[in-house]
Structures are given as C-alpha cells and as structure tokens.
C-alpha cells in the first residue's frame, strides 16, 4: 500500500531538518527504500572516468546526477495538506521518511588527525567531561521529576478537595448531579489544555515516549524527539493528564524527559534557543549523543521508581544498541545522582531534610511484615497468576449488594446486603493473558485512530471525551457502591463518606478518587478486609478498559502505573479468594498477591523481564520477592508473546518505523546481500583507475562542503579563508542546512572538490553472497547507517540500508516482506 498520508506519524511533521531529501538519488529495484540518504561512493560505478589513480577530485559540473529537489519546503514549517476523512493504513508497511543515525564514526583524515593530537592528558579531560555530563543529567532529571511530583500533588489535591467538599455538601440534601458535573468539568478542562499543547505544538510529546526513545537508541532518527520544546510540552502535558484524572501515570514520561535532558546537556548548546555555550563540542555527533541518551533514559527510570540499578538494566534491555563497561558505570552514576537529587529535594519539600526516604516518584512501601513472607508451596500459585486467576464474587441477589455494615445508609428500595463471608467462586479472571488482551484491544483502537482521528482537533475532542467518561464512570461506581470501611487506621487521602455511616468511607472511592500512584500503594498495603471482592472486580474491569482507551490519546501519559493498578486490583482479589478457600490462612495476605498481580499485568503488557524484576525489587525495598516476581514476569511474557507482541513494539510497528531487533528473522538464511541490497547505486564519478571503492561520504558532509564552497579552484586562487575542520561539521550538527539553502552558481558548477580528507576511506563492506543474518548482525552490532555491498573486484554493486533489513520479518506464515510507503 503506497503513499499513505504523511499525517500518520509520531511528530506530525513531514520532514525534519536535514531529513528533507537525499542529496543523491539512486535508481533502485521496485520497492527500494529510496528515502534513505545515500552516501557518495567514489569510484564505485562502472561509469567512473578512468584517470589518474591518485586523483581525488570530482567536478561540480558532474552534479547532473544530483537532484536539487525544488519541491521541498522549509522543514520548520508544515505544508498545508487536505485532511482526508479516512487514511488507509496497513501494519505491513515500512515508512520511507525515517532515516538512520550515524552511530559509526567517519574515520576520515580530519577525524584521524584530531584523534592523533589528543594526548593522554587530553583524553583524561574528555573522560572527566563525560562524568560531569552524566552528573548534570542526573541532577536535572531529578529536579524535573521533583517539579512534576510537587505540581501534580498541589493541583490534584486542590481538585480533589474541591470535589470532595462539594460531594459532602450535596450528599445529605441531594443534588449530586452538580458534583458529577463539577468533577467532569475540572477533568475535561485540564485534559483539554494538555491535549491542545501536544496536538498543536509538539505531537511527538504524546504518550510515554518510550517507543520513540527505543527507536532513537536503535539508530532511527525520530523527528523532534529530543528537542527542548518536546521536553517542555512533555512535562506540562503529563502534569495536566494526571491531574485531569485520566488512567495514566507520570512515571513513564520521565524516561523521555531524561533522554531529552541528556541529549541537550551533552551538546553544550540549544538549537531551539539558538544558544551555543561553546562547551562539550567534542560530543556533537550521534555516537556520543546515543550514549548520553542511554544515561538519560536510565536516570528517568531511576527518578520514577527510585531504582538506579533497574534504570541501568532498562536502558540495556529496552534500548541501547551499544554497551561497554565504562558506559555501564557512567549510566549507573547518572541514575544514582538522579535518585539522590529527587530524594534530597523532596525531603526538603516535606520538611525533613535528614529523611531520605522518598527515592522515587512512587514508592511501593516496604514488604517486610511477617504476614508478607512467602513459602515454597506458593511458587506454583505465583506462576499460575501469570496465566489465569480464579476470582470470587459475592453470593448475593444483586451484583451491587456488597456487604456494607448494617448501619450504612441505603437508597430507597435497596435490599439489605448479605454478610461478606457468604462468597462463592464464580468466574475466571485472566492474569497474564490480560496483557495480551490489553495490547490487542489497543492495537485495533490505534488503527482506528490512525485512519479516522488524524486531525488535531479530533484528537483533542477524543481526549476530552475520555476525560468526561472517566469521571462519569468513576462517579457512578462510587455512587452505586455500598462497600463501606472504617476510617480508623485508613491511609486514604480524600475519603468520601457518601451513603456510608459516620466514621466510615466508601471503599470504591478510595480506588478512583485519588492519583493512580497512591491507589497502587493502598492496594499493596491496606489491611485485609479493606476492599470487598465485588469492589475490586468492578474496579479491575472498568479501569482496564479505561486504561486501554486512554493509551494512545494525544496527551503526555505513561502506561506503567495504570498497568500496576489494574494488576494490583485483580491480584488483591486473587489473594482474597485464596484466603477464603484456605480458611483465612495467614500466608494468603492480599497485599502480597496484589504485588504479584501488578508485576504480571505490567509484564504482560510491556514484556519487560530483567529490568522490571529489579525495578519492582528496588521499589519494594525487599529482595525477598525477587524470585517470585521473576517467575511471574517470565510467565506473563511467554504467555503474552503467544498471542501478540509487547505494547511498545506494537506501536513502533504501527508507526512503520524501520526498527531492527537484536537478531534477524530465524528463517532468513536463504537470503543474501545481493537479494536484499538496493541497486544500482548512482555515484559521483572519480577520475581514477581501476574503478574500485575509494571511500564513503555522507550527504550532510557534502552539504557542509558546498556551504563553505571548498572548491579546488578557489583554493588555488587564494579565495578560501581557511582549511575546513571537524568543528565546522559539529557546528552544523544536528540540524544540517537543507539543500535549498545551498546556492551553487553556474560558474561554480564547473569547479571541482577534493574529497580525500573528508570521506571515510575504510567503510564497512560485505560481499554480495553474504547471508541476511550475517549482514543483519554486522549492521545492528556496529550501529551502521549504510553497508556497502561489493563484488570480487571490490566494485560497488549495491548498498544495504536500515529499511532493506527491516522490511523482512517473521510473520505467522513465515518470512514476510513489508511494503514501503511515504507515511
């Protein structure tokens, strides 16, 4: 399916800076990913001019092969496109608009000369700068996390107090419909503002940002993903989304925020603010930026969950395409600094400077009581929670008659409730399978959004609708529930009495009428009997669909906390069921099973294993549960993978991103580089003999050369002011000027350039008979952007790019090839 509308994108932009178009075109086989920028392969074509073997010139007049695309627009402005009512979209597409990052250093003469000039002292200075940057990343990420936490606490607290006072006021004398209107209006107002700034200012700030950062670390250039404007919109948007009462969390976006901070700090300047601080210029290249973004992502996880080790493992498991021991230490250092900064600032904010007990935005609390110890016979139960969960419903005449105390006030005509002990096993609630169901529903919902809800105004309307529905459903459930619990010893922040007796609060309100983070902690640590089984069952069912509907809205929001909250609810229900079946055994503590349910649900949705295990251990401050959490996560992942892939990978696929996994498809050994490559490659001719591969130069480098008019004739006439240096290329990074801004006069088209000191004389190559898995492993492990395919005479016969490899994947029917489209 070709030519899908360009509005189907994370960023909502058609082009980004130097992504405008390849300077050099290549004629290719049908379906070739022509959008990938093609380097100049000097002397690679059979049409190369036979001349002096030592010549390194090419004539500008030979740029007849070079198309200066006049139709390209300014990359910082959006062209006006008519909005179709429906955008045809297919998940078996690969977008041509995404380019690769240059994770392989171009070892040209300029680079080698600079590296040779660096002595031991200069090398140590560069290493010290790396550590300083990592410390700055940790400090700034921790401060951003503090800002988000404090603002959310203040705004959400104000909203809940206003709504609670209104509900308390109208409960006795009637008129709760006004309370519902007030609650829904406040939610819609916050979500409206949060959605507008995302949809109209920076669409790439939508969601958690984890899929985008995974793609960036994988080597895909996602437009606008690490801009300062993206950070501002991300932080503002997630605050408004959480305060607006959506089924979202503020922890997931911290990973994106930390990555943006890392990308900005490591460059020593802001291209958005047009400020250059003249520091860290050595790190202005994709290779260095990738390592710092890895540290920023880890610092974000650390700030969110107070899990520095989990942050390092998250960066390793989910994103980084390159790793070494020194990088591990630097990332761990950034993560630890982030946690400490957040801990220290929040301790000052809460009025106890010496109490460093708030290591993350969410703290699951300590699971160290005697009733929380697990035994060997519970391990099979934990594993089973990764597959199915046997739940219980109250044995009553009506599903709404859920054991309030005899003193609870009832609506007119409502029958008296039955005792809580009269329950019976009645239905099966999927555990790990819930993750697959969540992803499948969200998949079809995302496809619907891509096809029909592609206009920003429609996206804002949908977000407002979800906010209104969320508030309405929550209010109806709270109004209808009769699950009353005593206030004594309760940790509920905003208890609603409603129709309960004096000294009691509505337990359903404790789950809905609070921020998701506090609801998770309540489900983990509230004593047995705090929630009725029907309350937990209804909450799980409703919140599951609300969270599924919410993820993918044009708002800044994460899925971590909603997943934990869903899992904690059905996990606690599972624990209540076991307690009933075993005669209230001491070991069947519902809080312990709430923890396992939370791990199973989150693992079933995002399919994280190693990093999530450590994150859960660090967030609970108890290594004892490491083994059962690991078993639950492994089971949830295995079961979920049978049906559908993880949520983040699914959204990457739906955006048609050429994402390269760790290994090539297992059935792809029959394919060779000759079958995969794009050919023939149109090259600038070089006068040399014989015609063989001389080197590789990138389009961005050539644009800088043209901008500075580095012509041989100008040099001979003494018109060149100075010799070009690596600093000139770094100053242009990452927003290289578009080709439209380069003016080449007719006289200059007859000039020549010497590419010898700018081209990479030793690019990676493979023979045309190399198998696809071998090509894939080389491309993926080295973080390449282009891989040259040569014949036995070292002549270029083709070029392998990211899209050439990503178009092959293992489907249900075996190896399949994706179609290409300008999405």
């Amino acid at each position: 399916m070709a030519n899908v509308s360009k509005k189907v994108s994370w960023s909502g932009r058609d082009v980004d800076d130097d992504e405008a178009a390849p300077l050099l075109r290549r004629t290719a086989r049908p379906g070739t990913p022509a959008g990938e920028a093609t380097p100049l392969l000097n002397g690679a074509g059979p049409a190369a001019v036979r001349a002096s073997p030592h010549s390194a010139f090419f004539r500008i007049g030979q740029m007849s092969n070079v198309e200066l695309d006049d139709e390209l627009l300014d990359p910082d402005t959006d062209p006006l496109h008519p909005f179709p009512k429906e955008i045809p979209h297919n998940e078996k597409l690969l977008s041509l608009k995404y380019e690769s990052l240059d994770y392989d250093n171009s070892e040209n003469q300029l680079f080698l000369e600079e590296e040779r000039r660096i002595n031991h002292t200069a090398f140590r200075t560069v290493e010290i700068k790396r550590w300083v940057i990592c410390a700055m990343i940790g400090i700034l990420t921790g401060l951003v996390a503090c800002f988000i936490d404090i603002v959310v606490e203040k705004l959400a607290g104000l909203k809940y107090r206003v709504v609670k006072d209104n509900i308390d006021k109208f409960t006795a004398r009637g008129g709760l419909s006004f309370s519902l209107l007030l609650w829904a209006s406040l939610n819609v107002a916050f979500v409206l503002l949060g959605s507008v700034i995302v949809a109209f200012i920076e669409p790439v700030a939508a969601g958690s940002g984890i899929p985008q950062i995974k793609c960036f670390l994988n080597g895909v250039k996602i437009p606008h993903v690490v801009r300062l404007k993206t950070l501002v919109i991300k932080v503002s948007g997630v605050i408004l989304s959480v305060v607006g009462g959506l089924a979202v969390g503020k922890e997931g976006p911290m990973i994106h925020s930390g990555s943006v901070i890392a990308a900005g700090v490591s460059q020593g300047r802001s291209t958005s603010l047009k400020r250059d601080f003249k520091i860290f210029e050595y790190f202005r290249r994709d290779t260095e930026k990738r390592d710092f973004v890895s540290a920023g992502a880890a610092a974000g996880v650390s700030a969110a969950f107070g899990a520095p080790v989990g942050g390092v493992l998250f960066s390793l498991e989910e994103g980084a395409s390159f790793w070494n021991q020194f990088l591990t230490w630097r990332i761990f250092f950034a993560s630890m600094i982030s946690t400490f900064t957040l801990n220290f600032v929040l301790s000052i904010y809460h009025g106890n400077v010496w109490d460093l007990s708030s290591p993350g935005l969410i703290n699951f609390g300590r699971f160290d009581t005697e009733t929380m110890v697990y035994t060997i016979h519970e391990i099979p139960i934990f594993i089973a929670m990764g597959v199915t969960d046997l739940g219980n419903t109250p044995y009553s005449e009506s599903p709404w008659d859920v054991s309030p105390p005899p003193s609870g006030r009832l609506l007119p005509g409502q029958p008296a409730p039955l005792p809580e002990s009269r329950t019976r096993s009645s239905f099966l609630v999927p555990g790990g399978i819930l993750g697959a169901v969540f992803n499948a529903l969200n998949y079809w919902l995302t496809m619907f959004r891509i096809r029909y809800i592609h206009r920003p105004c429609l996206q804002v309307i949908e977000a407002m609708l979800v906010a209104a529905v969320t508030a309405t459903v929550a209010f109806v459930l709270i109004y209808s529930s009769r699950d009353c619990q005593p206030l004594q010893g309760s940790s509920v922040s905003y208890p609603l009495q409603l129709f309960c007796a004096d000294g009691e609060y509505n337990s359903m309100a404790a789950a809905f009428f609070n921020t998701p983070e506090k609801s998770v902690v309540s489900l983990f640590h509230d004593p047995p009997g705090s929630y009725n089984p029907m309350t937990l069952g209804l909450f799980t069912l409703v919140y599951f669909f609300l969270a599924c509907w919410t993820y993918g809205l044009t708002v800044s929001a994460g899925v971590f906390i909603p997943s934990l909250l869903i899992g904690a609810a059905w996990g606690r229900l599972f624990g209540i069921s076991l307690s009933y079946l075993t005669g209230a055994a001491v070991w069947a503590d519902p809080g312990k099973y709430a923890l396992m349910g939370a791990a199973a649900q989150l693992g079933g949705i995002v399919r994280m294993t190693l990093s999530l295990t450590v994150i859960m251990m660090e967030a609970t401050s108890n290594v004892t549960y490491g083994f059962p959490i690991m078993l639950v996560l492994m089971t949830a992942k295995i079961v979920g993978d049978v049906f559908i892939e993880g949520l983040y990978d699914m959204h990457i696929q739906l955006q048609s991103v050429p994402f390269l996994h760790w290994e090539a498809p297992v059935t792809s050994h029959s394919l060779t580089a000759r079958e995969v490559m794009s050919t023939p490659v149109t090259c600038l001719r070089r006068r040399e003999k014989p015609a063989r591969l001389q080197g590789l130069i990138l389009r961005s480098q050539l644009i800088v050369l043209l901008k500075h008019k580095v012509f041989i004739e100008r040099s001979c006439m003494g018109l060149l002011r100075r010799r070009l240096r690596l600093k000139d290329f770094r100053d242009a990074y990452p927003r290289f000027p578009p080709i439209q801004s380069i003016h080449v006069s007719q006289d200059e088209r007859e000039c020549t350039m010497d590419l010898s000191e700018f081209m990479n004389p030793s690019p990676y190559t493979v023979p045309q008979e190399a198998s696809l898995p071998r090509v894939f492993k080389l491309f993926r492990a080295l973080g390449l952007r282009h891989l040259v395919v040569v014949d036995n005479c070292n002549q270029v016969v083709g070029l392998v790019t990211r899209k050439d490899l990503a178009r092959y994947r293992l489907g249900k029917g075996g190896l399949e090839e994706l179609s290409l489209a300008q999405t």
Side-chain angles (χ1 to χ4, degrees):
M1 188 170 298
N3 296 327
V4 178
S5 170
K6 296 180 182 179
K7 285 296 177 182
V8 186
S9 67
W10 270 324
S11 67
R13 309 290 194 263
D14 294 323
V15 290
D16 178 42
D17 306 323
D18 62 318
E19 303 283 51
L23 180 63
L24 296 183
R25 305 293 184 180
R26 59 184 170 186
T27 54
R29 56 183 170 79
T32 291
E36 186 73 55
T38 306
L40 309 184
L41 304 174
N42 302 313
V49 178
R50 305 295 193 261
S52 170
H54 302 291
S55 174
F57 305 152
F58 78 84
R59 183 168 295 279
I60 299 300
Q62 295 173 356
M63 291 179 64
S64 57
N65 289 334
V66 180
E67 300 177 11
L68 303 183
D69 197 342
D70 295 330
E71 297 180 357
L72 294 174
L73 301 176
D74 185 354
D76 291 331
T77 61
D78 283 331
L80 296 177
H81 287 293
F83 287 98
K85 293 183 179 179
E86 177 185 357
I87 292 181
H89 187 69
N90 192 321
E91 72 277 10
K92 297 182 184 293
L93 288 177
L94 203 62
S95 176
L96 292 172
K97 74 170 188 172
Y98 295 108
E99 294 195 15
S100 295
L101 296 165
D102 296 311
Y103 285 164
D104 177 41
N105 290 323
S106 178
E107 294 188 351
N108 53 27
Q109 290 185 19
L110 296 181
F111 177 82
L112 294 177
E113 289 174 4
E114 182 183 76
E115 291 297 312
R116 294 186 185 114
R117 287 195 300 266
I118 298 179
N119 54 26
H120 180 72
T121 302
F123 174 78
R124 301 303 302 174
T125 302
V126 171
E127 281 298 304
I128 292 174
K129 288 182 179 178
R130 287 194 175 100
W131 285 93
V132 171
I133 291 173
C134 287
M136 294 174 63
I137 292 170
I139 293 172
L140 292 176
T141 304
L143 291 177
V144 169
C146 291
F147 175 79
I148 293 175
D149 187 62
I150 293 173
V151 175
V152 167
E153 180 183 341
K154 291 295 185 182
L155 290 180
L158 177 62
K159 185 193 77 170
Y160 286 130
R161 282 193 297 271
V162 170
V163 176
K164 180 182 183 303
D165 293 343
N166 190 273
I167 291 177
D168 292 341
K169 175 182 177 181
F170 286 101
T171 298
R173 63 182 186 180
L176 283 175
S177 57
F178 180 78
S179 300
L180 168 60
L181 182 62
L182 175 64
W183 190 0
S185 299
L186 289 175
N187 281 11
V188 169
F190 284 115
V191 173
L192 169 62
L193 182 56
S195 181
V196 165
I197 62 175
V198 172
F200 289 96
I201 300 179
E202 195 51 84
V204 79
S208 65
I210 296 176
Q212 292 91 321
I213 296 302
K214 284 187 64 172
C215 292
F216 182 91
L217 295 177
N218 189 259
V220 182
K221 186 170 185 178
I222 305 296
H224 303 230
V225 72
V226 287
R227 296 270 185 92
L228 176 62
K229 182 171 66 173
T230 303
L231 175 64
V232 174
I233 300 301
K234 194 80 177 183
V235 171
S236 304
V238 72
I239 291 173
L240 294 168
S241 299
V242 174
V243 176
L246 293 176
V248 300
K250 60 180 183 286
E251 284 70 20
M254 278 308 306
I255 298 171
H256 191 181
S257 300
S259 300
V260 179
I261 292 171
V265 170
S266 64
Q267 303 304 291
R269 67 176 178 182
S270 171
T271 53
S272 298
L273 300 178
K274 294 180 173 56
R275 292 291 303 274
D276 192 341
F277 300 99
K278 305 297 182 182
I279 57 175
F280 308 142
E281 295 179 342
Y282 180 82
F283 306 117
R284 293 178 184 176
R285 55 180 186 265
D286 290 337
T287 310
E288 296 287 349
K289 184 187 284 189
R290 170 198 59 193
D291 295 344
F292 291 118
V293 169
S294 299
V301 174
S302 180
F305 297 97
V309 178
V312 175
L313 294 177
F314 173 86
S315 187
L316 171 62
E317 180 182 9
E318 289 296 307
S321 57
F322 174 79
W323 205 266
N324 62 31
Q325 182 179 5
F326 296 108
L327 183 61
T328 305
W329 271 108
R330 290 198 298 269
I331 290 179
F332 181 67
F333 177 69
S335 299
M336 194 64 75
I337 292 294
S338 175
T339 296
F340 178 78
T341 301
L342 177 74
N343 204 343
F344 181 71
V345 174
L346 288 183
S347 66
I348 297 176
Y349 171 73
H350 293 302
N352 193 346
V353 181
W354 308 111
D355 180 20
L356 300 178
S357 59
S358 301
L361 294 182
I362 181 172
N363 188 355
F364 294 157
R366 292 185 176 273
F367 287 79
D368 54 1
T369 61
E370 294 183 359
T371 58
M372 301 294 283
V373 176
Y374 72 95
T375 57
I376 190 67
H377 69 271
E378 291 182 270
I379 292 180
I381 302 176
F382 294 148
I383 296 176
M385 290 182 71
V387 186
T388 56
D389 171 22
L390 182 65
N392 292 292
T393 55
Y395 185 76
S396 59
E397 298 298 328
S398 169
W400 297 104
D401 302 336
V402 286
S403 65
S407 58
R409 287 174 283 180
L410 302 175
L411 291 175
Q414 178 171 344
L418 296 174
E420 181 179 0
S421 60
R422 293 186 60 188
T423 61
R424 61 180 175 85
S425 175
S426 62
F427 65 98
L428 285 172
V429 178
I433 297 177
L434 269 179
V437 174
F438 185 99
N439 292 357
L441 292 175
N442 191 262
Y443 171 87
W444 294 111
L445 180 59
T446 304
M447 289 289 291
F448 178 84
R449 284 173 174 148
I450 290 175
R451 289 173 175 170
Y452 299 102
I453 313 179
H454 46 269
R455 299 188 184 185
C457 56
L458 293 179
Q459 294 169 346
V460 172
I461 292 173
E462 185 196 14
M464 295 170 59
L465 175 63
V466 174
V469 170
T470 301
T472 302
V473 170
F475 187 88
V476 170
L477 289 178
I478 294 172
Y479 180 86
S480 304
S481 175
R482 297 297 170 265
D483 185 6
C484 299
Q485 303 294 337
L487 272 173
Q488 294 181 353
S490 173
S491 59
V492 181
S493 301
Y494 307 101
L496 286 179
Q497 180 180 357
L498 225 62
F499 300 109
C500 295
D502 293 338
E504 297 176 343
Y505 70 96
N506 188 299
S507 185
M508 181 69 81
F512 272 113
F513 202 71
N514 217 329
T515 58
E517 291 84 359
K518 293 183 178 179
S519 297
V520 170
V521 176
S522 297
L523 289 170
F524 283 166
H525 295 286
D526 282 356
S530 299
Y531 295 91
N532 190 276
M534 176 56 73
T535 299
L536 294 174
L538 287 173
F539 175 80
T540 301
L541 182 64
V542 170
Y543 204 82
F544 176 87
F545 287 105
L546 288 176
C548 186
W549 189 11
T550 303
Y551 188 79
L553 290 177
T554 311
V555 294
S556 297
V559 75
F560 269 70
I561 297 302
S563 302
L564 291 172
L565 183 53
I566 296 169
W570 68 253
R572 191 176 182 94
L573 179 61
F574 186 94
I576 294 174
S577 304
L578 282 181
S579 179
Y580 169 71
L581 293 174
T582 58
V586 175
W587 54 266
D589 185 274
K592 172 172 54 179
Y593 286 92
L595 175 64
M596 297 303 157
Q601 184 65 44
L602 182 55
I605 291 176
V606 302
R607 310 292 162 78
M608 292 163 51
T609 51
L610 176 63
S611 57
L612 188 54
T613 300
V614 177
I615 288 172
M616 297 291 287
M617 287 168 51
E618 291 184 280
T620 56
S621 304
N622 195 326
V623 73
T624 305
Y625 288 98
F627 184 63
I629 290 175
M630 180 192 70
L631 293 177
V632 167
L633 289 174
M634 288 178 59
T635 306
K637 175 177 172 57
I638 293 171
V639 172
D641 285 343
V642 173
F643 301 99
I644 192 173
E645 56 190 342
L647 187 66
Y648 298 143
D649 292 334
M650 183 187 76
H651 276 263
I652 290 173
Q653 176 184 322
L654 286 174
Q655 294 296 335
S656 304
V657 179
F659 186 89
L660 297 181
H661 296 278
W662 287 105
E663 298 290 342
V666 293
T667 59
S668 61
H669 282 81
S670 58
L671 295 175
T672 63
R674 179 166 50 186
E675 299 170 276
V676 173
M677 67 186 185
S678 300
T679 186
V681 179
T682 303
C683 311
L684 289 179
R685 294 185 287 273
R686 176 177 176 174
R687 297 195 296 269
E688 43 80 21
K689 186 178 180 179
R692 59 188 178 86
L693 175 63
Q694 293 293 308
L696 181 148
I697 187 168
L698 300 176
R699 178 196 57 187
S700 58
Q701 294 174 301
L702 186 57
I703 287 179
V704 174
L705 296 179
L706 290 173
K707 179 182 178 181
H708 289 272
K709 301 186 183 300
V710 188
F711 304 135
I712 297 297
E713 287 77 5
R714 292 173 61 89
S715 177
C716 295
M717 296 173 61
L719 298 178
L720 288 182
R721 291 174 294 178
R722 60 177 175 81
R723 179 171 177 257
L724 220 58
R725 298 175 299 169
L726 272 184
K727 183 179 184 301
D728 297 295
F729 295 92
R730 289 171 180 161
D731 288 343
Y733 175 86
R735 302 190 193 182
F736 293 99
I739 189 62
Q740 302 93 323
S741 66
I742 307 299
H743 175 70
V744 180
S745 67
Q746 191 61 40
D747 292 338
E748 289 172 338
R749 288 176 180 267
E750 299 301 321
C751 296
T752 55
M753 276 186 178
D754 184 359
L755 300 180
S756 298
E757 60 178 342
F758 307 109
M759 71 180 185
N760 181 5
S762 55
Y764 290 101
T765 63
V766 291
Q768 57 185 341
E769 301 302 329
S771 66
L772 175 60
R774 187 173 185 85
V775 173
F776 189 100
K777 186 177 295 184
L778 180 64
F779 197 100
R780 179 71 168 82
L782 297 176
L784 301 181
R785 184 175 183 178
H786 312 95
L787 185 58
V788 183
V789 182
V790 296
D791 59 13
N792 295 333
C793 300
N794 200 32
Q795 288 188 331
V796 176
V797 295
L799 194 69
V800 175
T801 66
R802 170 177 295 272
K803 300 178 185 69
D804 293 320
L805 298 176
R807 65 187 299 164
Y808 295 97
R809 74 177 185 187
L810 189 63
K812 295 182 179 179
L815 189 66
E816 59 185 19
E817 185 176 356
L818 304 183
S819 302
L820 295 170
Q822 187 66 44
T823 58

